[in-house]
Amino acid sequence: METQQLYRGRLIDHIQLVVANIAASKKFYRAVFDVIGIPIGGEADDYFWADELFVSSVTSKTAAGALTGRTHLAFQANDRATVERFHAAAIAAGGQDLGAPGERPYHPGYYAAFVLDPDGNNIEVVYHGPAKNRSADAIKITF
């Protein structure tokens, strides 16, 4: 591991996607993470990770030789403009449109966009509307 500090939420420790083309996935996710302000935490030829998401090639020791199935991941945005920038950047980086930025019926103020990544995973960026309070940006773990 490249760092001695981790940032985690409460429910998910990590999610691993095993992809067919690691280069295409790196290009796609770098574009997405640049827009939402999440840095790549580490990488090698056969994997990369950012916060709770770990992405590896099928030939990586961590993959057990099998691709993961189709997954839906939703990343948080700080505003509507970030959702719009995500959609444009993800498509420019090889994603396929699955839903242009707009309000969704899930709750008032739910503003999201959806793009399929190079492996067909449904990637969403969502802004839930203005918040009265946010307890913390992340949980910092130091070891």
Side-chain angles (χ1 to χ4, degrees):
M1 188 173 297
E2 292 82 3
T3 183
Q4 294 300 308
Q5 296 180 346
L6 300 176
Y7 293 84
R8 294 289 187 256
R10 293 193 51 171
L11 176 63
I12 304 297
D13 182 78
H14 69 278
I15 296 169
Q16 181 176 2
L17 296 178
V18 180
V19 299
N21 183 330
I22 194 72
S25 290
K26 279 184 184 181
K27 178 183 175 185
F28 176 85
Y29 285 100
R30 273 191 197 284
V32 170
F33 295 151
D34 283 350
V35 168
I36 62 175
I38 302 295
I40 297 291
E43 65 182 298
D45 291 340
D46 61 349
Y47 73 84
F48 64 95
W49 64 271
D51 283 7
E52 297 90 356
L53 181 63
F54 186 87
V55 180
S56 66
S57 69
V58 72
T59 57
S60 171
K61 290 187 299 185
T62 64
L67 295 171
T68 49
R70 240 178 118 172
T71 301
H72 173 85
L73 299 175
F75 302 132
Q76 297 177 46
N78 291 325
D79 52 40
R80 286 178 173 216
T82 300
V83 173
E84 293 163 8
R85 287 193 316 272
F86 149 74
H87 189 258
I91 290 171
Q96 179 184 345
D97 178 32
L98 194 60
E103 291 220 13
R104 302 296 192 259
Y106 311 129
H107 68 68
Y110 194 109
Y111 191 84
F114 302 83
V115 176
L116 292 179
D117 78 1
D119 284 87
N121 295 297
N122 178 1
I123 307 304
E124 173 185 3
V125 169
V126 57
Y127 173 61
H128 289 281
K132 293 179 188 174
N133 184 343
R134 185 175 182 124
S135 62
D137 286 336
I139 296 170
K140 182 177 181 180
I141 302 168
T142 303
F143 28 159

